[in-house]
Amino acid sequence: MLFRSAIASGAGKPTIVPIKNNLVRGIRKASDFLMALQLTGACKEDSLTNLLVRLPALLLGGGLTAIDAATELMAYYPVMVEQVVRRSEVLASEGRLQTYLERLAGEEKEIYETFMAHGREIRAEKQSAAAEGRPPNLIRLVRHWGGVAVVYRRTLQESPAYRLNHEEVNKGLEEGIYFIENISPVEALADRHGSLEKIKAKYQDSGDEVELPCR
């Protein structure tokens, strides 16, 4: 009799970034995001999974997990906002949309309106692309709304992701992600709702501070 076994140890514990206010609403660990995205089927059009992301988005770190999370987030955002539009249309057809909207207030209303506007732009771009016989340019739209960037304290060539698998890094850049070099995050800054609005960081060479907008 032949016995086979495997030790599945996973990807290890999530990395906790040592910055002030690193648990403010809007910050989540990259491994947590990837698990939520893949295991729940959130990227499927008919999914009812509640996985919310906002733009602009920053990934802190220089490993392959950061590159993977950035690329997946870049692809997931258009799917998510289209889901919002589609579900709103279903509610409207059933005469329940107004009741839903009346329950939204403050930050929730702002997020909903942003997602609806972006979702309609995604749909319009797809329709224009189909009429013109070309692929839809979703990268342009996501970048216009703030995009997705990886922030690393050293150069791209020094990052673990580049040294381990530069092909994956190149593919991520082709998919539209940004890579910001030589910057170390210091503090997460919240908006009036208590949600993430900016990351305060310092340039490694000069020590000058910069605030990077993110949600």
Side-chain angles (χ1 to χ4, degrees):
M1 183 178 293
L2 178 63
F3 292 93
R4 296 179 179 177
S5 61
I7 300 176
S9 59
K13 297 185 294 183
T15 301
I16 307 299
V17 181
I19 64 173
K20 186 177 180 180
N21 298 331
N22 69 354
L23 294 180
V24 70
R25 186 170 62 212
I27 290 183
R28 69 185 306 162
K29 307 303 175 272
S31 55
D32 174 47
F33 163 72
L34 290 171
M35 292 287 282
L37 179 66
Q38 302 298 338
L39 296 184
T40 63
C43 57
K44 297 180 180 178
E45 291 187 356
D46 58 350
S47 172
L48 294 178
T49 301
N50 180 23
L51 178 58
L52 184 151
V53 296
R54 300 170 69 187
L55 299 177
L58 297 180
L59 281 297
L60 308 180
L64 288 171
T65 300
I67 300 296
D68 188 18
T71 306
E72 293 287 358
L73 197 156
M74 189 89 181
Y76 172 65
Y77 187 82
V79 174
M80 182 195 68
V81 293
E82 271 199 293
Q83 287 176 341
V84 174
V85 174
R86 189 162 47 250
R87 292 169 188 172
S88 295
E89 291 173 342
V90 171
L91 290 176
S93 68
E94 297 174 352
R96 296 190 291 144
L97 181 59
Q98 187 59 39
T99 301
Y100 169 74
L101 295 179
E102 290 173 353
R103 297 175 180 175
L104 299 180
E107 184 183 31
E108 289 181 339
K109 186 177 181 180
E110 292 176 10
I111 294 173
Y112 173 80
E113 292 174 348
T114 298
F115 286 175
M116 285 294 291
H118 291 178
R120 290 181 178 126
E121 288 190 60
I122 291 289
R123 178 176 290 181
E125 169 61 17
K126 287 184 174 181
Q127 291 172 348
S128 296
E132 297 169 9
R134 60 173 176 83
N137 190 349
L138 304 186
I139 292 176
R140 176 183 61 82
L141 289 175
V142 174
R143 283 184 161 183
H144 176 68
W145 298 325
V148 180
V150 176
V151 178
Y152 186 53
R153 68 184 186 277
R154 296 180 181 174
T155 66
L156 172 62
Q157 289 76 12
E158 293 176 295
S159 70
Y162 188 85
R163 288 186 281 107
L164 292 172
N165 189 348
H166 69 274
E167 291 92 349
E168 183 170 339
V169 176
N170 290 337
K171 186 62 178 177
L173 296 174
E174 290 176 6
E175 292 294 321
I177 68 173
Y178 297 112
F179 196 99
I180 304 176
E181 301 178 324
N182 295 315
I183 289 183
S184 293
V186 176
E187 180 180 1
L189 305 176
D191 62 13
R192 68 184 189 281
H193 300 296
S195 296
L196 180 66
E197 182 178 33
K198 300 175 183 177
I199 291 290
K200 182 186 292 185
K202 287 186 177 182
Y203 286 99
Q204 288 290 87
D205 51 357
S206 64
D208 293 340
E209 289 191 349
V210 62
E211 292 184 353
L212 306 173
C214 61
R215 288 295 185 176

